[in-house]
Amino acid sequence: MFVEIDNNSGFCFGVVNAINKAENELAKGELYCVGDIVHNDSEVARLADMGLKTISVADMAGMSGKRVLFRAHGEPPASYALAKERRLEVIDASCPVVLNLQRVIKEAYNEVKEQGGLIVIYGKPGHAEVIGLVGQTNGEAVVVESLSDLQSVDFSRPIRLFSQTTQSLEGFKQLAAKMREEGGESVVVYDTICRKVANRIPQVRSFAAEHDVIFFVSGEKSSNGKQLYEVCKEVNPRSYFVQGADNVEAEMFMGAEKIGISGANSTPRRLMDEIKLKIEKLLKNNG
Ligand code: SF4
């Protein structure tokens, strides 16, 4: 029997960059993070122990002269304006990929609004990154999560379609095809899915198929985690969604020869190492 950690899983460079920035800035003094720095409770708790205080955008309105960190998901222009108004120093840890997407959407919005056009974003309504993207369009972009949401799209207008960076490539292709069917040439499609996420799907699929049991480690709030776990379950019914070593019991891997541990882009490596140790301990105790 062997236990293997999926070396492709774990933090993407956007999250690593945000955490490094937070650690460096905490060494200089008090720091507030707008929203959870990463969708993983354990990592949020580790940084909270180092002094990082998590606040909401609304909390910024009651603060002044403090330092606030904007996390990898990015923020809409309104957050920058609020920080300026309240004399807050912004430590901008927005992922460069997201910042670039915000810029491209803003340019497209300025262009299509002259022609009565519309920006459509394939994403999760209310997700932090999506709020930042919609903010580039004066709040006018239409967010669609599934084909049924297309009812709210006016296909008589010129349309530019973008995607939240962490959405599924397959879902985006289906949506784009349907929109081209409805709107023809007036629908211009921009594939803006981050390949760090899109590439993980085939990687996770083969990893799950190669093992008898999969422990998929992720925080409950991570949309990337939920999506990758579904991929695991599709190819391997003995896939478990766990948040940490405490969720792992010996019965879960009974009779298995090959045990795989994988995780989301927001899953710290140390959590996967802890799960490996727990499994090895249980095997030893039961063996
Ligand atoms: S998933 Fe991609 S776009 Fe999102 S934070 Fe990571 S590197 Fe940046």
Side-chain angles (χ1 to χ4, degrees):
M1 185 187 277
F2 72 86
V3 189
E4 188 185 14
I5 295 179
D6 178 358
N7 280 325
N8 289 312
S9 51
F11 292 158
C12 60
F13 69 83
V15 170
V16 168
N17 173 52
I19 291 172
N20 287 345
K21 264 200 180 147
E23 287 178 345
N24 290 339
E25 295 297 329
L26 277 167
K28 296 180 198 163
E30 198 179 28
L31 184 66
Y32 294 82
C33 182
V34 181
D36 287 344
I37 189 154
V38 55
H39 288 157
N40 186 281
D41 291 343
S42 152
E43 191 62 6
V44 169
R46 188 184 72 84
L47 285 153
D49 284 346
M50 289 176 72
L52 186 66
K53 298 180 181 80
T54 302
I55 54 163
S56 65
V57 173
D59 291 334
M60 287 201 299
M63 296 165 65
S64 127
K66 305 284 186 192
R67 296 188 313 143
V68 293
L69 182 129
F70 288 173
R71 58 193 171 165
H73 289 317
E75 285 291 327
S79 300
Y80 289 88
L82 180 58
K84 197 171 169 200
E85 189 192 309
R86 300 304 308 166
R87 290 182 298 105
L88 301 169
E89 183 191 336
V90 173
I91 313 293
D92 200 343
S94 305
C95 174
V97 177
V98 175
L99 283 180
N100 187 51
L101 175 56
Q102 289 186 346
R103 186 183 52 78
V104 174
I105 288 182
K106 188 175 182 172
E107 283 170 12
Y109 168 71
N110 287 333
E111 227 178 279
V112 288
K113 88 171 168 206
E114 307 290 318
Q115 311 148 16
L118 187 67
I119 300 290
V120 176
I121 297 169
Y122 173 49
K124 306 226 172 323
H127 185 284
E129 183 190 318
V130 173
I131 292 172
L133 301 180
V134 172
Q136 309 304 317
T137 68
N138 205 17
E140 292 169 25
V142 176
V143 180
V144 296
E145 197 176 6
S146 64
L147 292 177
S148 58
D149 294 337
L150 289 179
Q151 284 159 344
S152 56
V153 175
D154 177 359
F155 284 99
S156 67
R157 299 165 69 182
I159 291 171
R160 304 276 174 98
L161 170 68
F162 296 89
S163 177
Q164 179 185 342
T165 58
T166 47
Q167 287 293 88
S168 105
L169 195 52
E170 226 164 282
F172 182 70
K173 281 183 184 157
Q174 273 177 21
L175 185 87
K178 182 74 187 154
M179 287 180 67
R180 290 301 291 265
E181 219 178 281
E182 297 281 336
E185 294 298 306
S186 67
V187 178
V188 183
V189 177
Y190 299 83
D191 170 1
T192 53
I193 292 171
C194 175
R195 288 312 188 255
K196 168 67 193 164
V197 179
N199 291 346
R200 286 290 292 130
I201 293 176
Q203 286 163 355
V204 157
R205 190 170 283 135
S206 27
F207 187 81
E210 284 160 11
H211 295 82
D212 301 322
V213 170
I214 292 289
F215 288 100
F216 190 87
V217 197
S218 169
E220 272 178 340
K221 288 183 232 164
S222 163
S223 57
N224 165 254
K226 279 182 210 147
Q227 185 193 0
L228 292 177
Y229 170 63
E230 287 307 318
V231 172
C232 285
K233 250 196 353 197
E234 251 169 57
V235 287
N236 188 334
R238 284 188 82 182
S239 296
Y240 298 98
F241 188 97
V242 292
Q243 296 199 59
D246 288 350
N247 302 137
V248 176
E249 305 290 345
E251 305 81 68
M252 294 160 108
F253 53 86
M254 207 176 274
E257 283 295 320
K258 293 183 262 175
I259 301 169
I261 302 167
S262 188
N265 289 343
S266 51
T267 303
R269 172 74 189 206
R270 96 191 125 76
L271 286 186
M272 294 184 270
D273 288 336
E274 282 167 20
I275 288 177
K276 187 168 189 265
L277 279 176
K278 169 99 183 256
I279 295 171
E280 285 166 350
K281 200 170 134 199
L282 288 168
L283 282 170
K284 214 165 137 196
N285 292 348
N286 293 344

